[in-house]
Each structure stands twice: as C-alpha cells, then as structure tokens.
Amino acid sequence: MTHPKDTMPAPATTASQPELAAKTPHHVPLVELTRDGLVESIHYGSLIALTADNSTALEAGEPDAPMYPRSSLKPLQAVALLKAGLDIPQNLLALTAASHSGAQMHRSGAEEILKLHGLNESNLGNSTDLPYGVAEREEWLRAGNGPTQIAQNCSGKHASMTAVCVINGWPVEGYLHPEHPLQVLVRETITELTGEEAAAVSTDGCGTPLFAHSLHGMARAYGRIAAADENTNEGKVAHAMRRFPEMVAGEGRDVTALMRAVPGLLAKDGFEGLQLVGLPDGTGVAVKISDGGDRARMPVTVEVLRRLGVDGGSLDTLQSPPVLGGGLPVGEIRAAHIFSN
C-alpha cells in the first residue's frame, strides 16, 4: 500500500521553534531507588493534581512547561472520534483509547473495528511492531510472527481513525496528516479539553500528529473526562475504559491494575514516563518522569493518590517490586522526600 507519510508533507516540529527546543523544564526529584538504606538512583520529573474547580491540590517541578503527552492523549483523541460519529461497542471504544499489549483480544478487536467499516489492515497508517506486552510478544514470536500494524500497541486507535474517515466520507489515505479533517478535529478537541493551544506539533511513534501541552492542561482534561456524564462523549470514553480496563492496557499491566483497584478511577500511561489519572470527582493528576523511566511512573502516582485521600488499602497491590540483592529484598523504589510529612 502507499503509506500516508509517503504522500503528505511532514508536520511542523520544534526545529522551527528554538525557544521551545532549548528550554529545559525545572524538574525535581520525584522517585528514589534505595539499596540497604543508600539512595542509589533518582528519577526527576514534574507533576500536578488539580481539583474540579481547577485549584492546585499538589504540584512539583514545572507542571506548566510544554511536553509531549504521547499515548496519554488517546482518551482525548477518542472523544474527538465520537464527535465525528464513531459508534462501536464499549470494549472496542476502550481499545480505541489503548496502548494495548497485543493479546489476541486486542488484535481481534482492531480487526473488528476495521471490518465493521469495510476496511482491513492495509488501510492502516501506523508503524509496524511486535506486541508490547512481554508475554504476548514471546507468544507471538514463538508462533513465527514478525512486526505488523495490527500487533502494534496503537492499532485500536488507528482502526477507529480510519473508520471515522469512512463514516464522514473523508479520504482514508493521508488520515495522519495534521491538516486532514480528522486531525483538525482531534486538535480542536484536545485544545478544548486541556484549555490550551498546542505549544508545538510533532509526530508520535505510531505516526499520529502529536501536540505539546502542559501537565496542567492534561490534568484538567482527565478530570473533565473522568467526571463527565455517561451520555456525553467524554463520559462514554471514561465509562468504556473503566468497564474494560484490560482493553486499555492488558493483563499484568499497571494501568489495568490501577483502574481495577480504585472504582471510578481513569488511568492512561504514555511513553517517556507519562502517567495520567482522572477521579470521578473531577480531580486530575498528571505525572512526567523527566528521563522517561517507566519504573518511576507508578510509585509517585500512587503516593499522589494517597495524598489526595484515595483509599490506601486499594493501592497496596500497586506497590513496586522490591530492589533485590542476591535474590533477597534490600531496597525499594519510593516517592522522594518532597512528599515527606
């Protein structure tokens, strides 16, 4: 097939905006790894927790600095797709907002979205990859498979994007270009939900236009989505993700575990150390680990939730595994001293 990126000009990047590219956010220590009482490693980052009235409940670092939300944008993109007429079962809507593990249910779900709209894998414009989940990848490779677009963790989103093009009579080819009607609607929706104009535009790993926003704006968006009435587009996305958390990530993934542990909580991760959370009361939480370290996302997120009064018992199952020495626990990965009482 002719890939959309071969037929459309490249999107704008920060290369033409040196003032953004040159500025380093003022991140602070968020997570520490200890070994026998000594702090061995430190992960820096920024975070913010906003209440429904946009008051700051907790913050650290520089949460107003622009950054790329990566896959944490997917629930916002899903809201835009519903605005454009997407009408699919809840499990498939959850998959639309997913960075899935590539299990059979995920791959079959993406294929079902395509089939419902007269499409197939050749219509997708996302990159190829192996399944994201470790167990799923090993099973895939043992079966003799290689990288495909359906196995790639964003295939649910891309299947729904192509479906929306069919629904509206928009060209499927080129659907990833920032000026395509679909992506214009996505950008407008993200701007509306975050309350911010995009600070920059780039391209995500899967090929989708990627809009830079602040942690402040992303926390606002997640609070709005999590608190929305189920009859609204935002509420439909939140309800689908909560009902089918295994479609949003997968078995053994912390995002799925977090949504199962705390009823009503909405969660989505993103590459390069992003974690977003929305609570039913409209509180939004956004965390960015500056070095992109995935192991640091959940310890600081769990501590923020505890500080917000989320039931501590339900969060105990999300504790990070201990640091080992000779196969025995000798340390931990914990929230840094900025959270000490």
Side-chain angles (χ1 to χ4, degrees):
M1 84 174 172
T2 300
H3 197 284
K5 287 189 286 188
D6 296 331
T7 60
M8 303 294 278
T13 70
T14 54
S16 59
Q17 303 170 74
E19 71 282 0
L20 288 177
K23 187 178 184 302
T24 301
H26 178 64
H27 293 302
V28 298
L30 292 184
V31 175
E32 299 171 339
L33 182 147
T34 68
R35 184 176 296 273
D36 279 325
L38 181 70
V39 174
E40 185 173 29
S41 299
I42 300 173
H43 292 279
Y44 285 68
S46 295
L47 63 84
I48 190 166
L50 292 178
T51 60
D53 65 0
N54 206 35
S55 299
T56 299
L58 187 66
E59 67 177 336
E62 191 177 349
D64 287 320
M67 54 89 204
Y68 289 118
R70 303 299 299 271
S71 285
S72 68
L73 282 175
K74 286 176 178 174
L76 286 67
Q77 292 165 325
V79 171
L81 298 181
L82 290 181
K83 285 184 178 182
L86 184 67
D87 184 12
I88 53 178
Q90 287 185 338
N91 65 317
L92 301 183
L93 180 56
L95 184 66
T96 298
S99 297
H100 64 71
S101 292
Q104 181 63 58
M105 63 180 175
H106 301 132
R107 304 192 306 272
S108 296
E111 290 170 344
E112 184 178 352
I113 295 170
L114 292 169
K115 185 177 180 180
L116 285 171
H117 299 87
L119 299 164
N120 57 52
E121 187 172 359
S122 69
N123 297 112
L124 297 178
N126 60 310
S127 55
T128 62
D129 204 350
L130 299 171
Y132 181 70
V134 175
E136 291 83 357
R137 186 184 312 124
E138 291 176 351
E139 180 182 2
W140 184 255
L141 290 171
R142 282 197 300 269
N145 298 309
T148 69
Q149 289 168 298
I150 287 292
Q152 197 264 344
N153 76 88
C154 305
S155 62
K157 176 182 74 174
H158 282 264
S160 288
M161 284 185 168
T162 59
V164 162
C165 292
V166 172
I167 291 167
N168 289 276
W170 296 333
V172 175
E173 185 172 350
Y175 75 90
L176 293 178
H177 189 266
E179 299 307 317
H180 189 283
L182 168 64
Q183 301 303 339
V184 170
L185 175 61
V186 168
R187 180 170 184 164
E188 290 172 349
T189 301
I190 293 172
T191 297
E192 175 187 349
L193 289 169
T194 60
E196 302 174 339
E197 293 288 342
V201 182
S202 187
T203 306
D204 212 340
C206 66
T208 308
L210 178 62
F211 307 107
H213 287 273
S214 70
L215 292 172
H216 194 132
M218 289 298 295
R220 182 187 296 118
Y222 269 71
R224 289 176 174 177
I225 294 172
D229 185 276
E230 287 185 14
N231 294 317
T232 65
N233 292 323
E234 293 85 353
K236 289 176 182 176
V237 171
H239 185 64
M241 293 174 67
R242 290 167 177 147
R243 185 176 177 188
F244 295 97
E246 68 278 3
M247 298 299 284
V248 179
E251 298 302 334
R253 298 272 299 281
D254 55 20
V255 165
T256 293
L258 180 56
M259 285 194 279
R260 286 175 174 167
V262 183
L265 181 145
L266 187 71
K268 182 70 187 72
D269 54 346
F271 278 166
E272 299 304 322
L274 265 297
Q275 183 62 59
L276 274 291
V277 170
L279 298 177
D281 66 359
T283 298
V285 176
V287 174
K288 165 66 178 175
I289 305 302
S290 64
D291 62 9
D294 191 65
R295 70 181 182 183
R297 280 186 302 106
M298 202 50 64
V300 66
T301 299
V302 167
E303 184 61 26
V304 170
L305 291 173
R306 287 200 172 102
R307 297 277 169 160
L308 294 174
V310 175
D311 178 33
S314 65
L315 297 172
D316 288 345
T317 58
L318 297 163
Q319 294 290 343
S320 298
V323 175
L324 301 179
L328 299 175
V330 295
E332 63 180 337
I333 302 175
R334 68 188 186 192
H337 66 277
I338 62 168
F339 291 105
S340 300
N341 290 320

